[in-house]
Amino acid sequence: MIEHRISLRNVGKINPARIEDYMAAGGYEALKKALQTPPENVIYEIIQSGLRGRGGAGFSTGLKKKFTSEAACVLLECMHYIVCNADEGEPGTFKDRIIMEGDPHLFIEGMVIAAYTVGAGKGYIYIRGEYHKSIEMIHKALASARAHGFLGNNILGSGYSLDIGVKLGGSSYLCGEELTLLESMEGKRGHPRIKPPFPAERGLFGMPTLINNVETLSQIPAIIINGADWYKRLGTEKSAGTKIFTISGDVKSPGYFEVEMGVTLRELIYNFAGGIKDGKRFKTALLGGAAGTFVPEAMLDVRMDFEDLQEKDAVLGSGAVIVMAEDQSILNMLHSIMRFFEHESCGKCVPCRVGTKHLLMLLNKISNNGQNKRPHIDALLHQSEIMAKTSLCPLGQSPVLAIKSAVRHFRKELQETQLT
Ligand SMILES: Cc1cc2nc3c(=O)[nH]c(=O)nc-3n(C[C@H](O)[C@H](O)[C@H](O)COP(=O)(O)O)c2cc1C
Ligand code: SF4
């Protein structure tokens, strides 16, 4: 398989700071086409394309638009919002940054089209504060889009108006979670809200809100130009299109690669990332970042799409692939992941606030106890399962993924090694 670039098609080819370059490459043609089409037909096309959210959850992008467009306001003054999730906090994930720095107009164009489909009157890009270059590029791109009539009042004479603002996040992993993100945007502490209601019904300031990831939005212009049937032919039956994978760790050429969904893990590691460095053997890859799963060598031929991975109790998540060579320690990696969760836990609910500390304690016991580690490994599993059932939000429900997969595939190693 070779790279197939949709979200990254202009990256490295055009000057991202010049809207003229983007337009010369066909930019904003999709917006022109969409604005001449009734919003419900645009939504239908996106549903038919099979595009699913690239932020991690994989929900149908078209259906989310349909629900948001149909949502009635509960407050007297009604305004639909659109929010682009550019928080990108998942360890090992750096795909959105490449789009924002390398071709910011692409996802902005997708965002304006998405906003039009739900009738949003105002949009925001919520971006992590450390992404200085991306922030600068986005501000420039928004200003030139306004100057060319692609944003603002009566866009391209269509009668539709939208402006987009930028909100900076404070580098909290949890603030990438959509409901916590909304709290943060409203100026409150980054604590999650209870679902339902979902953002489509009651989102920003209580209004129906469409939230999409940068990569998701960047796929929309190509769908509008080429049609749903073209898009559906890419990828696999239920995971259509292309996906950006970010490969890091013990590979010769770490980086980002956009390929059709369904590429195998082996192809990603050996064809795209050059194989394992220093002549070592592959041991495992952590798929989906900290909220992800370990896969062993026996699963190198798994197809990287939502269904195939789910069938094997693994996750695609944000597309992060963190590769570990034969001499890396699973116990060290688990410890580092649990330290991350302990640090990022917002402390609102007991199972996660206390549970993340307990998981770290158990990992230390597993490392220290030279005799029988089995009870501690079982307790680690049990504790993470309890957290998955009782925690208030997905953060506390996530440690079970890494722990379960590590114990399933590497129990013997966990019993024999110590933290270094
Ligand atoms: C703890 C946590 C962190 C998340 N961080 C991000 C993030 O940084 N960027 C993102 O797009 N989605 C993130 N998500 C997923 C969002 O909640 C949401 O599903 C996504 O923004 C929806 O957009 P999509 O449908 O285009 O994928 C996170 C979810 C959780 C539980
Ligand atoms: S699960 Fe963790 S992050 Fe989520 S509300 Fe509870 S303490 Fe906060």
Side-chain angles (χ1 to χ4, degrees):
M1 193 180 275
I2 53 165
E3 264 207 277
H4 189 119
R5 290 184 160 205
I6 294 177
S7 294
L8 302 177
R9 66 175 176 271
N10 294 323
V11 171
K13 290 189 180 162
I14 64 167
N15 177 350
R18 280 176 44 87
I19 193 169
E20 295 79 9
D21 285 20
Y22 179 67
M23 288 165 69
Y28 288 110
E29 290 303 318
L31 177 61
K32 288 178 196 161
K33 188 174 170 188
L35 290 175
Q36 288 161 12
T37 314
E40 56 277 18
N41 292 9
V42 180
I43 292 178
Y44 180 75
E45 196 70 13
I46 297 173
I47 293 176
Q48 288 300 107
S49 76
L51 174 63
R52 295 167 63 175
R54 302 302 196 234
F59 190 76
S60 159
T61 307
L63 281 179
K64 206 192 254 192
K65 287 179 179 37
K66 184 169 183 287
F67 297 148
T68 315
S69 70
E70 290 170 356
C73 290
V74 287
L75 302 172
L76 271 181
E77 262 185 55
C78 187
M79 155 113 103
H80 283 55
Y81 285 99
I82 180 163
V83 175
C84 171
N85 190 344
D87 199 50
E88 192 150 79
E90 190 63 60
T93 309
F94 45 93
K95 65 195 176 69
D96 296 340
R97 178 168 64 81
I98 307 300
I99 299 169
M100 292 187 285
E101 290 182 7
D103 193 15
H105 284 287
L106 181 65
F107 87 94
I108 290 172
E109 181 178 6
M111 188 170 171
V112 183
I113 295 170
Y116 165 72
T117 65
V118 301
K122 177 81 191 166
Y124 291 101
I125 298 167
Y126 184 91
I127 180 167
R128 60 177 36 241
E130 304 99 318
Y131 270 9
H132 302 292
K133 177 95 190 287
S134 300
I135 295 166
E136 185 194 325
M137 295 306 292
I138 286 171
H139 277 297
K140 272 192 191 145
L142 290 175
S144 43
R146 270 183 218 112
H148 281 76
F150 299 129
L151 269 181
N153 282 332
N154 191 18
I155 298 172
L156 300 174
S158 65
Y160 174 63
S161 302
L162 171 82
D163 204 4
I164 296 177
V166 180
K167 290 262 181 192
L168 302 192
S171 11
S172 147
Y173 172 62
L174 185 54
C175 284
E177 189 280 322
E178 56 189 11
L179 289 164
T180 317
L181 182 154
L182 294 175
E183 287 286 290
S184 164
M185 283 195 56
E186 290 178 7
K188 300 179 204 148
R189 272 180 90 159
H191 279 179
R193 293 179 186 170
I194 309 281
K195 279 194 224 191
F198 290 90
E201 303 159 66
R202 221 171 305 162
L204 191 61
F205 306 118
M207 307 291 178
T209 303
L210 177 68
I211 305 183
N212 274 136
N213 168 260
V214 173
E215 186 188 355
T216 312
L217 293 171
S218 72
Q219 297 260 303
I220 290 177
I223 294 172
I224 301 303
I225 292 293
N226 301 305
D229 288 341
W230 165 81
Y231 192 79
K232 246 188 335 208
R233 281 198 291 274
L234 301 170
T236 59
E237 197 192 340
K238 289 189 181 155
S239 298
T242 59
K243 174 85 194 84
I244 306 175
F245 292 95
T246 50
I247 309 183
S248 58
D250 296 330
V251 285
K252 287 184 191 153
S253 312
Y256 55 88
F257 307 93
E258 183 176 4
V259 285
E260 283 185 50
M261 288 270 200
V263 62
T264 65
L265 180 59
R266 186 187 299 278
E267 281 176 287
L268 277 180
I269 295 174
Y270 289 93
N271 296 1
F272 292 99
I276 309 299
K277 65 181 179 191
D278 302 330
K280 292 184 185 153
R281 251 187 99 155
F282 171 86
K283 177 184 205 158
T284 183
L286 179 64
L287 305 184
T293 42
F294 291 100
V295 293
E297 197 175 7
M299 274 171 65
L300 270 175
D301 291 311
V302 67
R303 294 203 311 169
M304 301 287 283
D305 62 38
F306 292 110
E307 286 70 34
D308 282 65
L309 285 167
Q310 200 181 359
E311 253 176 42
K312 299 194 160 47
D313 290 323
V315 293
L316 182 69
S318 55
V321 178
I322 303 173
V323 179
M324 293 167 66
E326 57 189 324
D327 55 349
Q328 297 284 0
S329 153
I330 295 289
L331 189 58
N332 281 356
M333 187 63 156
L334 266 185
H335 196 264
S336 154
I337 295 171
M338 293 316 139
R339 271 208 328 257
F340 173 77
F341 280 124
E342 187 216 16
H343 181 257
E344 297 296 336
S345 167
C346 79
K348 184 171 175 174
C349 70
V350 175
C352 170
R353 185 178 66 233
V354 179
T356 47
K357 288 187 173 39
H358 193 201
L359 292 178
L360 270 178
M361 193 189 77
L362 286 167
L363 285 169
N364 284 325
K365 279 193 178 173
I366 291 169
S367 172
N368 292 337
N369 188 330
Q371 302 298 310
N372 184 11
K373 298 180 176 197
R374 198 190 168 101
H376 303 308
I377 296 175
D378 290 343
L380 186 76
L381 208 51
H382 183 63
Q383 169 71 37
S384 64
E385 279 167 351
I386 300 262
M387 284 172 65
K389 287 187 186 134
T390 54
S391 292
L392 200 57
C393 86
L395 191 146
Q397 294 155 9
S398 297
V400 70
L401 294 169
I403 289 175
K404 231 178 168 173
S405 54
V407 173
R408 183 183 312 127
H409 302 299
F410 300 101
R411 186 185 262 273
K412 190 163 178 290
E413 178 182 325
L414 287 173
Q415 279 171 197
E416 288 165 2
T417 52
Q418 289 174 346
L419 286 168
T420 49

